[in-house]
């Protein structure tokens, strides 16, 4: 029966080991058929088994390739590719195959399998590509750039995970291919965000939606309020309602290749700024305002930003929507509160006040009370059903009264704010007034109260 099955296989499709086995078995059967007695038949039978044992070394396959380490695979694609490994005629599948080789292409691999039955060779890729990026290599590079690392850090990370790393040439090749794709995708997303902001706009001017935006910048080097010498800076404009980016830009004062003598026409030079580092933010934001109509058909009527006055001053100077259009500046609440606490903390360094009083006002628990008092007032006034102007006036009064509440005088405290005087706590207002430190606190409080409209 077995010989009939074997004989039905075409000679061209048989592996060499199978052909050798059949030839040897044919010779053995011929010798066994020439016997004339039981002893000869028994001897022939023994020689058959002995010959069968001798043929086994001729049928041995090569050892399977030994793989080590870990790999990144697109699991759906990889499993589907393995299931698709079937050969017509023999019913061969992945379970009948041995791995012969692996070709590593950066973070991807191509595995080559050989069938043990029919000898057919198939290849399977570890990843099949995705809708966002064309390869795992590009996805790995864009992820590295997103978290602020480069080739060396990525190589160390992959080495720790025991994953084969891509070469520097492969990294640079994919890095250069990513830039136009990412740039085009960002432009598309910003266009979609602008349309969403236009649909949510509450105000129109000459048929163009007027919206509020948030703008801020960052630099590659921390300044710590001095030494503003960063070589690169970035700024972005974000829609106030959708919280999506509408504009972004980068300014560079340095080019690695130019610094090494390369001519600008020989490479893509990203150096585009020669002025001071502090002016990068205002320049980028100004470009976004000037291009808002032509690019998105939007007018940025309100600017929500930090206490940096240089950006708003630049917008007033360039007048992107004409000299008659006023761009309203709204201070960022988080920045206002942070600056408020920083100013109170700086009182500890003002030696014109007595040291015990300075330390009492600037200790963390007292600073927390000042902040909480303002936050409670904002939350309450914001929830009122009064007109906006009334909310702003009431919030100003609450903020200006907060130092007196904290120092134990509750004459002007509202019912929502406190329950009146506490017999167990002293009224310290007169003491801190005589010392003069309450005057310094009121000056800081007044600056915050002047921005009550931005706090709501």
């Amino acid at each position: 029966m077995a010989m009939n099955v074997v004989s039905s296989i075409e000679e061209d499709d048989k592996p060499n080991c199978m052909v050798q086995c059949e030839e040897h078995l044919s010779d053995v059967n011929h010798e066994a058929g020439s016997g004339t007695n039981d002893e000869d038949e028994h001897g022939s039978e023994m020689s058959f088994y002995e010959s069968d044992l001798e043929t086994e070394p001729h049928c041995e396959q090569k050892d399977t390739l030994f793989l080590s380490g870990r790999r990144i695979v697109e699991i759906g694609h990889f499993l589907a590719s393995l299931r698709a490994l079937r050969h017509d005629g023999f019913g061969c599948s992945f379970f009948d195959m041995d791995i012969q080789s692996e070709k590593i292409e950066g973070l991807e691999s191509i595995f080559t399998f050989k069938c043990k039955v029919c000898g057919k060779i198939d290849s399977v890729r570890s990843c099949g590509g995705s809708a966002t990026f064309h390869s795992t290599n590009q996805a790995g590079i864009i992820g590295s750039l997103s978290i602020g690392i480069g080739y060396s850090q990525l190589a160390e990370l992959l080495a720790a995970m025991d994953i084969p790393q891509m070469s520097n040439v492969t990294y640079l090749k994919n890095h250069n291919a990513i830039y136009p794709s990412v740039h085009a995708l960002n432009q598309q997303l910003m266009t979609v965000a602008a349309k969403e902001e236009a649909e949510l706009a509450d105000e129109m001017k000459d048929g163009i939606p007027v919206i509020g935006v948030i703008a801020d910048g960052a630099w590659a080097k921390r300044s710590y309020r001095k030494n503003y010498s960063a070589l690169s800076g970035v700024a972005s404009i974000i829609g106030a309602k959708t919280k999506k980016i509408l504009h972004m830009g980068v300014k560079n004062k340095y080019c690695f290749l130019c610094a090494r003598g390369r001519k600008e026409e020989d490479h893509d030079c990203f150096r585009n700024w020669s002025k001071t580092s502090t002016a990068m933010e205002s320049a980028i934001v100004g470009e976004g305002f000037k291009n808002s109509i032509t690019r998105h058909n939007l007018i940025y009527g309100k600017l929500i930003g930090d206490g940096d006055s240089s950006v708003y001053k630049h917008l007033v100077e360039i007048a992107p929507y004409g000299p008659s259009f006023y761009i309203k500046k709204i201070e960022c609440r988080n920045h206002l509160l942070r600056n408020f606490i920083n100013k109170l903390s700086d009182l500890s360094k003002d030696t014109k006040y007595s040291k015990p009083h300075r330390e009492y006002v600037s200790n963390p628990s007292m600073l927390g009370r000042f902040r909480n008092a303002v936050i409670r007032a904002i939350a309450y006034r914001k929830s009122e059903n009064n007109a906006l102007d009334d909310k702003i006036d009431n919030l100003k009064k609450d903020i200006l009264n907060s130092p007196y509440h904290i120092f134990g005088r509750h004459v002007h405290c509202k019912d929502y704010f406190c329950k009146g005087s506490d017999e167990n706590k002293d009224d310290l207002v007169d003491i801190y007034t005589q010392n003069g430190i309450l005057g310094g606190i009121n000056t800081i409080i007044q600056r915050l109260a002047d921005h009550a409209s931005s706090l709501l």
Side-chain angles (χ1 to χ4, degrees):
M1 179 69 69
M3 292 299 298
N4 292 335
V5 174
V6 173
S7 62
S8 65
I9 302 177
E10 297 181 2
E11 293 297 331
D12 294 339
D13 296 331
K14 296 178 182 179
N16 293 332
C17 62
M18 187 178 294
V19 175
Q20 294 174 2
C21 290
E22 289 180 8
E23 293 176 353
H24 194 78
L25 289 174
S26 177
D27 295 338
V28 171
N29 290 335
H30 177 72
E31 294 175 2
S34 61
T36 57
N37 52 38
D38 295 339
E39 184 177 356
D40 292 337
E41 290 178 1
H42 179 71
S44 299
E45 186 177 358
M46 292 298 294
S47 63
F48 172 82
Y49 288 111
E50 291 173 357
S51 300
D52 189 35
L53 292 174
E54 292 176 358
T55 61
E56 288 183 358
H58 298 285
C59 297
E60 288 183 355
Q61 299 288 338
K62 293 183 179 180
D63 293 338
T64 302
L65 177 67
F66 177 75
L67 299 179
S68 62
R70 299 181 175 93
R71 303 293 186 273
I72 299 175
V73 299
E74 186 180 339
I75 190 65
H77 163 80
F78 191 67
L79 293 178
S81 299
L82 294 181
R83 285 195 297 266
L85 293 178
R86 292 187 176 276
H87 304 152
D88 297 335
F90 302 100
C92 312
S93 67
F94 167 73
F95 298 101
D96 301 307
M97 298 183 180
D98 287 332
I99 186 168
Q100 299 293 306
S101 64
E102 177 190 15
K103 181 181 179 182
I104 298 177
E105 297 180 346
L107 300 180
E108 298 185 6
S109 295
I110 301 176
F111 301 99
T112 301
F113 298 92
K114 184 176 182 180
C115 182
K116 294 182 290 185
V117 177
C118 63
K120 186 176 180 180
I121 296 177
D122 293 288
S123 296
V124 174
R125 296 191 68 95
S126 59
C127 302
S130 62
T132 305
F133 298 103
H134 297 294
S135 68
T136 306
N137 294 326
Q138 291 189 6
I141 293 173
I142 195 64
S144 301
L145 297 176
S146 299
I147 61 176
I149 65 175
Y151 172 75
S152 299
Q153 293 85 352
L154 177 61
E156 292 180 6
L157 174 63
L158 295 174
M161 299 174 67
D162 200 10
I163 297 175
Q165 64 193 49
M166 68 180 77
S167 65
N168 192 28
V169 175
T170 302
Y171 182 92
L172 293 176
K173 179 181 177 181
N174 285 275
H175 182 279
N176 295 334
I178 283 174
Y179 172 74
S181 301
V182 172
H183 182 72
L185 181 60
N186 283 339
Q187 298 297 323
Q188 180 182 352
L189 293 175
M190 286 188 282
T191 301
V192 173
K195 293 180 180 179
E196 295 179 8
E197 282 286 343
E199 294 175 355
L200 299 174
D202 299 325
E203 183 182 351
M204 302 287 288
K205 177 178 173 56
D206 299 331
I208 302 176
V210 180
I211 66 170
V213 295
I214 305 168
D216 201 4
W219 287 263
K221 176 183 177 182
R222 281 188 174 273
S223 61
Y224 298 103
R225 301 183 184 179
K226 60 182 180 179
N227 191 23
Y228 297 93
S229 59
L231 298 178
S232 181
V234 61
S236 60
I237 299 175
I238 302 172
K241 292 186 176 180
T242 62
K243 302 298 186 295
K244 295 181 179 180
I245 297 177
L246 302 175
H247 175 79
M248 65 175 296
V250 179
K251 298 295 183 184
N252 293 307
K253 299 173 64 175
Y254 179 81
C255 175
F256 178 82
L257 296 177
C258 289
R260 280 155 178 76
R262 291 280 295 274
K263 297 181 180 179
E264 290 188 8
E265 57 269 18
D266 295 337
H267 67 284
D268 293 331
C269 182
F270 291 95
R271 184 174 58 184
N272 57 2
W273 191 250
S274 58
K275 299 180 182 179
T276 62
S277 300
T278 54
M280 292 179 178
E281 179 183 8
S282 57
I284 296 172
V285 174
E287 292 171 359
F289 271 73
K290 287 192 294 185
N291 298 329
S292 66
I293 296 180
T294 57
R295 184 177 177 186
H296 298 313
N297 194 36
L298 291 174
I299 294 177
Y300 302 154
K302 297 179 182 179
L303 172 63
I304 303 173
D306 54 20
D308 184 7
S309 60
S310 61
V311 174
Y312 186 68
K313 180 182 177 181
H314 180 68
L315 293 177
V316 173
E317 292 175 351
I318 64 175
Y321 310 119
S324 61
F325 187 87
Y326 171 73
I327 300 175
K328 185 178 180 181
K329 173 67 181 298
I330 301 176
E331 298 291 338
C332 173
R333 183 191 304 171
N334 290 333
H335 282 88
L336 286 174
L337 293 175
R338 186 182 65 183
N339 292 336
F340 167 59
I341 297 301
N342 288 339
K343 294 295 183 182
L344 289 177
S345 180
D346 290 342
L347 289 176
S348 63
K349 304 174 184 177
D350 195 339
T351 56
K352 68 181 179 181
Y353 307 122
S354 64
K355 186 175 181 180
H357 293 146
R358 284 186 283 133
E359 292 179 348
Y360 179 76
V361 171
S362 61
N363 73 75
S365 61
M366 184 60 68
L367 294 177
R369 292 187 64 187
F370 276 103
R371 181 183 175 88
N372 291 337
V374 175
I375 291 177
R376 284 185 60 193
I378 294 172
Y380 180 80
R381 297 306 179 186
K382 194 173 183 179
S383 63
E384 286 185 318
N385 294 324
N386 299 339
L388 180 60
D389 292 339
D390 293 336
K391 291 182 180 181
I392 294 174
D393 291 338
N394 291 332
L395 180 58
K396 284 183 178 180
K397 295 176 182 178
D398 292 341
I399 293 175
L400 294 174
N401 181 65
S402 60
Y404 298 92
H405 164 78
I406 292 172
F407 290 133
R409 184 170 295 179
H410 307 281
V411 177
H412 300 291
C413 291
K414 302 300 180 182
D415 294 337
Y416 83 91
F417 204 80
C418 73
K419 298 180 181 179
S421 301
D422 188 348
E423 297 180 355
N424 297 324
K425 293 184 178 180
D426 297 331
D427 185 342
L428 304 176
V429 173
D430 292 337
I431 297 176
Y432 282 88
T433 300
Q434 294 174 2
N435 181 268
I437 196 170
L438 184 58
I441 294 174
N442 283 333
T443 301
I444 298 172
I445 289 286
Q446 183 65 55
R447 294 173 185 170
L448 182 64
D450 291 340
H451 293 97
S453 59
S454 298
L455 295 173
L456 290 174

